[in-house]
Amino acid sequence: MLAENYSLLLTIHSLWRWVVLLAAVFSLAWAVTGRVRGQPFAPWGDRARSLYVGAVDIQLLLGLLLYAASPIIRSAWMNFSLAMKQHEPRFFSVEHSLTMLVAVALAHIGAARVRAATDDRKKFARLLLWSALSLLAILVGIPWWRPLLRGMLSS
Ligand code: HEM
């Protein structure tokens, strides 16, 4: 069932990265402008935080389904030591998945730290710090050599 929907999952996971990146940029932009202008954190700070965590959680779910469906992952696990010597199998079975799990964890820790902050200046500072750390992990973990708009352009 998952294997049959592999290319659909891959396309959605590939395109959803842009939603994740836009949500991260929105969080960062809101954290910077809100703090500089001394604006109240709520309600847009809370919306930015939830939007980013929600986008990342959906991508995590898609990634887990893709992990189960991908022929690259299946053959990597069939001969793990050989896969570790090849770039794409190693990248997708270990490096990409672990880096993105770290990014998801950073987004969740950040959201909890923002909620726990008692004043708005601290909330902005924490939103900025944790969104930036999570975004950094995502930028490092994205396979930029793959299509940027899968399924939408002929190349
Ligand atoms: C949360 C942030 C994540 C982002 C932004 C992201 C982004 C991407 C992108 C851009 C691709 C390439 C798609 C293409 O070839 O067009 C990809 C592939 C893949 N991702 Fe993720 N990913 C994330 C998380 C995860 C997680 C947590 C897992 C698994 C636990 C995962 C598993 C995979 C797999 C298995 C592939 C490639 C499968 C294949 O080519 O057969 N991803 N990801």
Side-chain angles (χ1 to χ4, degrees):
M1 193 341 222
L2 279 176
E4 285 158 27
N5 292 308
Y6 166 65
S7 24
L8 178 65
L9 276 172
L10 183 62
T11 304
I12 300 172
H13 186 70
S14 187
L15 295 176
W16 194 259
R17 133 249 325 240
W18 297 113
V19 177
V20 171
L21 292 175
L22 279 176
V25 169
F26 178 61
S27 259
L28 289 174
W30 178 253
V32 172
T33 53
R35 170 126 186 188
V36 168
R37 292 186 191 160
Q39 285 165 338
F41 189 81
W44 282 100
D46 293 313
R47 283 178 192 155
R49 173 177 55 78
S50 313
L51 190 76
Y52 182 56
V53 171
V56 152
D57 280 351
I58 290 171
Q59 187 69 325
L60 169 66
L61 180 65
L62 290 166
L64 291 171
L65 294 173
L66 195 51
Y67 203 91
S70 167
I72 296 182
I73 304 292
R74 199 173 319 120
S75 60
W77 281 102
M78 273 160 59
N79 192 342
F80 196 70
S81 54
L82 177 66
M84 289 307 99
K85 293 183 189 130
Q86 297 167 337
H87 178 247
E88 278 222 335
R90 187 186 63 239
F91 181 82
F92 286 111
S93 61
V94 179
E95 295 166 356
H96 175 74
S97 317
L98 288 181
T99 312
M100 295 315 197
L101 285 175
V102 168
V104 175
L106 289 170
H108 276 274
I109 295 168
R113 301 279 295 141
V114 168
R115 272 198 306 271
T118 43
D119 66 80
D120 280 4
R121 281 181 66 78
K122 261 193 194 148
K123 281 181 187 276
F124 280 123
R126 290 182 183 182
L127 184 67
L128 180 61
L129 174 70
W130 292 94
S131 305
L133 289 175
S134 177
L135 175 61
L136 190 68
I138 284 179
L139 290 175
V140 168
I142 285 180
W144 291 108
W145 65 91
R146 289 281 190 99
L148 294 179
L149 292 171
R150 185 179 282 281
M152 300 180 86
L153 296 173
S154 51
S155 63

